[in-house]
Amino acid sequence: MQPSIILVNPQMGANIGAAARVMFNFGLTDLRLVSPRDGWPNIEAERNSAGALEAMPDVQVFNTLADAVADLHFVLATTARPRDMVKSVYTPQMASSEMRKRAQEGMGCGFVFGAERTGLVNDDIAICHGIINIPTNPDFSSLNLGQAVLLCAWEWFRTQDETHGLALPVGDSFPAKLEDLMGFLDRLENALDDGGFFKAPDLKPTMLRNIRAMFTRSGLTDQELRTLHGILSALADTKKRP
Amino acid sequence: MQPSIILVNPQMGANIGAAARVMFNFGLTDLRLVSPRDGWPNIEAERNSAGALEAMPDVQVFNTLADAVADLHFVLATTARPRDMVKSVYTPQMASSEMRKRAQEGMGCGFVFGAERTGLVNDDIAICHGIINIPTNPDFSSLNLGQAVLLCAWEWFRTQDETHGLALPVGDSFPAKLEDLMGFLDRLENALDDGGFFKAPDLKPTMLRNIRAMFTRSGLTDQELRTLHGILSALADTKKRP
């Protein structure tokens, strides 16, 4: 069950569209508006959603925040400033993690955002379960509405798979077998011997080890190994021509 | 040491401004532009930065990506599409975590972003150490430039509280600067030209790109670069002896 995004008294249609766009980027589709200044639907919102509003289910419009969150179980209010109110304060990642737990038990959750300039009034914050504060550069904290929605949607999205692993896409090629890599390194060693690379014989074992480490580390593919053989031939074999 | 944000061929001043704004929201101040379409400075960028461009150090402008990243040690390219290139793929959080480790050892890092519609060309990606892919809703993945920069800057900001166990062990040596790596690759290219490596001239750009990708990926140290220069001398320069 995905969390809802609730925008309270949004002023600019463009910002509603931007919010819809970033929601949908991260798979959220339940957008609710509380008394949007310019009514609904809004052509500027459509224009700025990059097609998200068309693709998402219909936006729901309410008169009050209480109406908008009536069917939800856990809602958090985003605020830029601390308020004089006893509420748990979450980062976006903590908030998403808490919502994910509840969603897995079938509870409806929501992120609540205030009007662009003024934010949420205390009466609205009072009916939320907690507060989300987005940490920023203390000297420059002016996130706009779309950016704040983006970070919350992103953090929600992140919680669904914490295991995004490091991938090394190798296309049609395949990582080289170690024996083939060693074959290249042996050939390189011979060529370096011929070229007089190892000037101090007692340093040769260390130098060879460092060269092997350097070429092994990058996870060369079969194709790349063929390229390296070609490079070696182009550089070294010309010497042997009479 | 904070990572740099490098925008390659940005088209719209408004997007440069948006990028500056979200960078500064999360404490990043080193913005570099490669051949911005409308030149620099740009009044639309100023207007859309919400004051960030005024507060940040001067933006630096370069002709090529290689110039823009010459003094950095670890740069990652953001791409929306998978490329047929052997590069490690990172999420923004993994990328930030890797950069944080390196930054703590004094290395310069950078996030590289392409032009709004077209993204980065393969030749630019080839000189980056890896790729960042931002996972999104597969049915709606249209992140704009400012949003992509925001997520990278946010993830960087998030890593500052994490504790890190493993550093990147490089011994007494230090990762090579990009300009030194490029210097080696240029020398290698010349030697390969001399050795008749590029038999089909029309394939040369692709082959060169693959070679660059292969040597950039492994994060070579200064010491290793000296070793590679020595190898190249031992293999190739003997040819020039009378």
Side-chain angles (χ1 to χ4, degrees):
Chain A
M1 199 161 181
Q2 308 280 20
S4 309
I5 297 289
I6 303 109
L7 307 184
V8 180
N9 302 134
Q11 310 291 299
M12 308 280 290
N15 291 330
I16 301 171
R21 173 179 179 169
V22 295
M23 284 175 62
F24 199 42
N25 277 144
F26 298 106
L28 302 185
T29 58
D30 185 27
L31 175 57
R32 305 176 180 199
L33 305 178
V34 177
S35 300
R37 184 190 66 185
D38 299 336
W40 193 259
N42 181 309
I43 187 71
E44 282 302 311
E46 297 283 345
R47 276 191 192 131
N48 282 274
S49 81
L53 281 170
E54 271 179 67
M56 289 158 52
D58 283 350
V59 171
Q60 300 177 71
V61 182
F62 300 88
N63 287 322
T64 67
L65 177 61
D67 291 341
V69 299
D71 62 325
L72 302 180
H73 301 85
F74 183 67
V75 294
L76 298 178
T78 56
T79 66
R81 295 167 283 125
R83 306 297 177 103
D84 186 18
M85 210 178 298
V86 184
K87 293 274 180 189
S88 295
V89 178
Y90 300 81
T91 60
Q93 54 268 40
M94 290 159 56
S96 298
S97 173
E98 289 297 317
M99 287 186 187
R100 180 69 66 177
K101 282 186 228 159
R102 288 169 171 78
Q104 280 163 350
E105 295 172 20
M107 299 182 205
C109 298
F111 291 97
V112 181
F113 298 83
E116 287 91 333
R117 289 191 181 281
T118 50
L120 290 164
V121 298
N122 283 343
D123 283 344
D124 284 338
I125 294 173
I127 64 167
C128 295
H129 296 87
I131 286 171
I132 297 175
N133 187 252
I134 301 178
T136 55
N137 175 356
D139 297 329
F140 190 74
S141 59
S142 74
L143 281 180
N144 70 24
L145 181 60
Q147 290 159 350
V149 173
L150 170 57
L151 291 181
C152 291
W154 164 252
E155 288 294 336
W156 165 262
F157 189 81
R158 272 190 63 169
T159 62
Q160 73 193 339
D161 183 2
E162 298 292 357
T163 61
H164 287 302
L166 182 73
L168 186 70
V170 294
D172 295 335
S173 194
F174 207 75
K177 277 189 299 191
L178 258 293
E179 68 178 342
D180 295 332
L181 180 61
M182 291 306 135
F184 166 73
L185 290 171
D186 286 345
R187 199 184 148 211
L188 176 63
E189 179 187 342
N190 288 335
L192 290 174
D193 269 330
D194 291 349
F197 178 76
F198 301 109
K199 292 181 179 67
D202 52 326
L203 291 181
K204 182 174 169 183
T206 307
M207 297 183 80
L208 263 184
R209 191 172 61 219
N210 291 340
I211 290 169
R212 282 167 189 259
M214 173 166 55
F215 280 99
T216 309
R217 186 166 80 223
S218 49
L220 296 167
T221 68
D222 278 336
Q223 176 59 51
E224 289 174 330
L225 215 47
R226 283 193 291 276
T227 301
L228 285 172
H229 274 292
I231 287 177
L232 191 51
S233 299
L235 294 177
D237 293 355
T238 46
K239 285 191 305 182
K240 296 182 180 163
R241 289 175 200 156
Chain B
M1 197 159 182
Q2 307 280 16
S4 308
I5 298 288
I6 303 110
L7 308 183
V8 180
N9 302 134
Q11 310 291 299
M12 308 281 291
N15 291 330
I16 300 171
R21 174 179 179 169
V22 296
M23 281 174 64
F24 199 44
N25 278 143
F26 298 107
L28 302 185
T29 58
D30 185 26
L31 176 58
R32 304 173 180 203
L33 305 178
V34 177
S35 300
R37 184 190 67 188
D38 299 337
W40 194 260
N42 181 309
I43 186 71
E44 282 302 311
E46 298 282 345
R47 276 192 192 131
N48 281 273
S49 81
L53 281 170
E54 271 179 67
M56 288 158 54
D58 282 350
V59 171
Q60 300 178 73
V61 181
F62 300 88
N63 287 323
T64 68
L65 177 60
D67 291 340
V69 299
D71 61 325
L72 301 180
H73 301 84
F74 184 68
V75 295
L76 297 177
T78 55
T79 67
R81 297 168 282 123
R83 308 296 177 104
D84 188 17
M85 206 178 303
V86 183
K87 291 277 182 187
S88 294
V89 179
Y90 300 81
T91 60
Q93 55 268 39
M94 289 161 56
S96 299
S97 173
E98 288 298 316
M99 287 187 186
R100 180 70 66 177
K101 283 186 225 164
R102 288 168 170 78
Q104 280 164 349
E105 294 174 21
M107 302 180 206
C109 299
F111 292 97
V112 182
F113 299 84
E116 286 91 333
R117 291 190 180 279
T118 51
L120 290 165
V121 299
N122 283 342
D123 283 342
D124 284 338
I125 294 174
I127 66 168
C128 296
H129 295 87
I131 287 171
I132 297 175
N133 186 254
I134 301 178
T136 55
N137 175 359
D139 298 329
F140 190 74
S141 57
S142 73
L143 281 181
N144 69 25
L145 181 60
Q147 289 160 351
V149 174
L150 170 58
L151 291 182
C152 290
W154 164 252
E155 288 294 335
W156 164 262
F157 191 80
R158 274 191 60 169
T159 61
Q160 70 193 342
D161 293 330
E162 289 173 15
T163 47
H164 296 284
L166 237 155
L168 193 72
V170 292
D172 295 334
S173 193
F174 207 75
K177 277 190 297 191
L178 261 291
E179 67 180 342
D180 295 331
L181 181 61
M182 292 301 134
F184 166 74
L185 290 171
D186 287 345
R187 198 183 147 214
L188 176 63
E189 179 187 343
N190 289 336
L192 290 175
D193 270 329
D194 291 348
F197 177 77
F198 301 108
K199 293 180 179 69
D202 52 327
L203 291 182
K204 180 174 170 181
T206 307
M207 298 184 79
L208 261 184
R209 193 169 63 216
N210 290 340
I211 291 170
R212 280 167 189 258
M214 175 166 52
F215 280 99
T216 308
R217 186 167 82 223
S218 50
L220 296 168
T221 67
D222 277 337
Q223 176 59 51
E224 289 175 327
L225 215 48
R226 283 192 293 275
T227 301
L228 285 172
H229 274 292
I231 287 176
L232 192 50
S233 298
L235 295 177
D237 293 356
T238 47
K239 285 190 306 183
K240 293 179 181 161
R241 291 176 199 155

